[in-house]
Amino acid sequence: MVNKNPPINILFLSPLLEGAGNYTTAHRIYNEIKKSHNVILVDTYKTEIKDLELIIKQNDFDIAIGLHALHAGKLLINIKLPYALIMGGTDMYQHFGTENFEIMLKAIQMAKKVVAFSEENLIKTNKLCPGVLEKGVCIPQSIAVNDINNDFNIRVFLDLPQTTKLVLLPAGIRAVKDPFMLVDAFSKLHQSNTDFHLCIIGQILEPDFAKKHLEKIKSISGIQYINKLPRPKVLSAIQQADIVLNTSISEGMSSAILEAMALHTTVVARSNDGNESIIEHGKTGFIFNTASEAIELIKFILTDNKVLKEIDTNCQIYLDKNHSAKIEKSLYNKVIMELV
């Protein structure tokens, strides 16, 4: 039988810092589309335009896909391949009004297709760069947690009793993630109940921001920090935690939240458009605005978990309906064929 849709040769650009959300997202999308097409994944952190030009000369690419409007965008605007640009969540809004933002806007304007993880982010992108809706497509992220390390025990790693009530905050250490938001409030909670522990886990992405906060944590009991762990161990930690926390000031679509849902761990997340596009308060997780609200929710969950079984059931229904790997692959394949 003749193949009506031969494989497309695709250049895929993304920042690939292990432990960051873009790393997880890029590899998941790459692993899916390479089942049908010829794809080369390139790390934008390690690639200058002259390097990319050489890669393009050595390969007969039909199209390009870029994840992250700045890091992928600054390379895409200098090549002649038609491309789709996947918006990188918080990254779009961090650079507003800066020189970098002008590069991002140009990358969006030159893109043949713009992909957002939610309708809310697509609308926001259109406000920043009018005309996006006409070429925009919403492709919610799917979840892949099959690489979990089932031999890893986060409480043993932290030298904590197995009965410890553990709250886990997985996030790259940078200002927009605000990972130290609850440190003072959680310290007081731990003083009143020493069974409660908070573990922040993530690679330092902004050293100056991290330094002053991490020094403080060293002198506080009940709060621990892990620089980074391999992804399979992070997934195991998420599964074993009592609560997964998200404190981001702004968020695109958090992979960690979706992974926590898939691994049956309750999520407590800060109010922002990205988090609220996933979580319905009291139904698929919990949303807070202030540190005191977060602490009250944590105390409620860790002392009265009757509602959690219903929340977990709702999460599985939500994920099956909205974050299917099959649908994600189909939508990206449609984008690819439209670019060609």
Side-chain angles (χ1 to χ4, degrees):
M1 183 181 290
V2 177
N3 187 355
K4 295 181 180 179
N5 295 309
I8 307 302
N9 298 320
I10 303 170
L11 169 66
F12 193 164
L13 299 171
S14 176
L16 298 176
L17 184 64
E18 189 171 359
N22 288 325
Y23 180 95
T24 301
T25 300
H27 278 88
R28 189 193 66 255
I29 295 170
Y30 164 74
N31 286 332
E32 283 302 316
I33 62 177
K34 75 175 185 179
K35 294 175 183 177
S36 304
H37 303 288
N38 303 316
V39 192
I40 292 180
L41 180 59
V42 174
D43 185 356
T44 59
Y45 284 134
K46 299 177 180 178
T47 308
E48 300 292 337
I49 186 61
K50 64 178 186 295
D51 305 314
L52 187 61
E53 287 172 348
L54 180 60
I55 293 170
I56 291 172
K57 279 184 180 179
Q58 294 172 342
N59 297 273
D60 187 22
F61 293 118
D62 299 301
I63 63 167
I65 296 174
L67 171 61
H68 196 297
L70 176 59
H71 292 300
K74 67 184 179 183
L75 294 173
L76 290 168
I77 61 178
N78 289 295
I79 63 176
K80 295 180 179 179
L81 293 170
Y83 66 85
L85 186 63
I86 305 170
M87 304 307 299
T90 57
D91 308 294
M92 177 65 193
Y93 313 111
Q94 280 185 271
H95 301 281
F96 186 80
T98 69
E99 180 182 349
N100 286 335
F101 191 74
E102 294 302 314
I103 295 171
M104 297 166 84
L105 284 181
K106 185 175 181 180
I108 296 167
Q109 290 164 348
M110 290 177 62
K112 300 298 183 184
K113 288 285 182 180
V114 175
V115 176
F117 298 139
S118 68
E119 292 292 346
E120 291 84 356
N121 281 332
L122 195 59
I123 291 168
K124 269 194 172 184
T125 304
N126 189 68
K127 287 180 180 178
L128 297 169
C129 183
V132 163
L133 291 181
E134 286 76 7
K135 58 183 179 182
V137 57
C138 176
I139 306 181
Q141 298 195 75
S142 67
I143 317 101
V145 293
N146 56 332
D147 55 338
I148 188 170
N149 182 340
N150 291 310
D151 295 324
F152 178 74
N153 187 306
I154 184 63
R155 287 174 177 81
V156 170
F157 185 84
L158 295 172
D159 196 24
L160 296 172
Q162 289 303 302
T163 54
T164 299
K165 301 291 188 181
L166 185 62
V167 178
L168 188 74
L169 199 170
I173 308 303
R174 54 183 175 139
V176 72
K177 297 295 183 180
D178 206 8
F180 307 105
M181 175 190 183
L182 299 185
V183 165
D184 290 333
F186 198 94
S187 176
K188 292 179 182 177
L189 175 61
H190 174 75
Q191 289 170 21
S192 65
N193 190 329
T194 55
D195 285 341
F196 292 1
H197 281 255
L198 170 64
C199 176
I200 301 169
I201 177 170
Q203 189 164 351
I204 294 172
L205 302 178
E206 295 175 359
D208 291 340
F209 168 76
K211 185 177 179 180
K212 59 179 180 180
H213 293 285
L214 294 178
E215 283 297 321
K216 180 179 179 180
I217 285 177
K218 290 178 183 178
S219 62
I220 299 176
S221 61
I223 301 173
Q224 291 177 262
Y225 166 69
I226 305 171
N227 189 312
K228 67 174 182 176
L229 286 174
R231 172 175 163 77
K233 290 185 177 181
V234 173
L235 290 175
S236 182
I238 287 173
Q239 184 181 57
Q240 295 166 22
D242 294 286
I243 293 171
V244 163
L245 190 64
N246 179 294
T247 53
S248 295
I249 296 168
S250 64
E251 191 71 77
M253 180 172 284
S254 168
S255 297
I257 289 179
L258 295 174
E259 288 161 355
M261 288 180 168
L263 293 168
H264 310 284
T265 303
T266 305
V267 175
V268 176
R270 189 175 187 167
S271 174
N272 61 54
D273 289 344
N275 288 345
E276 290 176 357
S277 73
I278 302 173
I279 298 170
E280 185 176 346
H281 182 71
K283 186 173 181 182
T284 55
F286 298 93
I287 296 289
F288 67 88
N289 289 284
T290 65
S292 59
E293 284 181 13
I295 295 300
E296 288 305 310
L297 286 168
I298 289 169
K299 286 164 60 178
F300 163 68
I301 293 166
L302 296 183
T303 56
D304 182 5
N305 59 9
K306 292 178 183 177
V307 72
L308 301 188
K309 185 175 181 181
E310 182 180 346
I311 284 178
D312 181 46
T313 299
N314 292 337
C315 284
Q316 304 317 308
I317 294 169
Y318 166 78
L319 293 176
D320 288 343
K321 181 180 179 182
N322 297 284
H323 297 277
S324 157
K326 184 177 179 180
I327 292 174
E328 182 185 49
K329 180 182 178 182
S330 173
L331 290 173
Y332 275 111
N333 195 60
K334 183 180 179 183
V335 168
I336 289 166
M337 300 313 297
E338 288 176 355
L339 283 177
V340 175

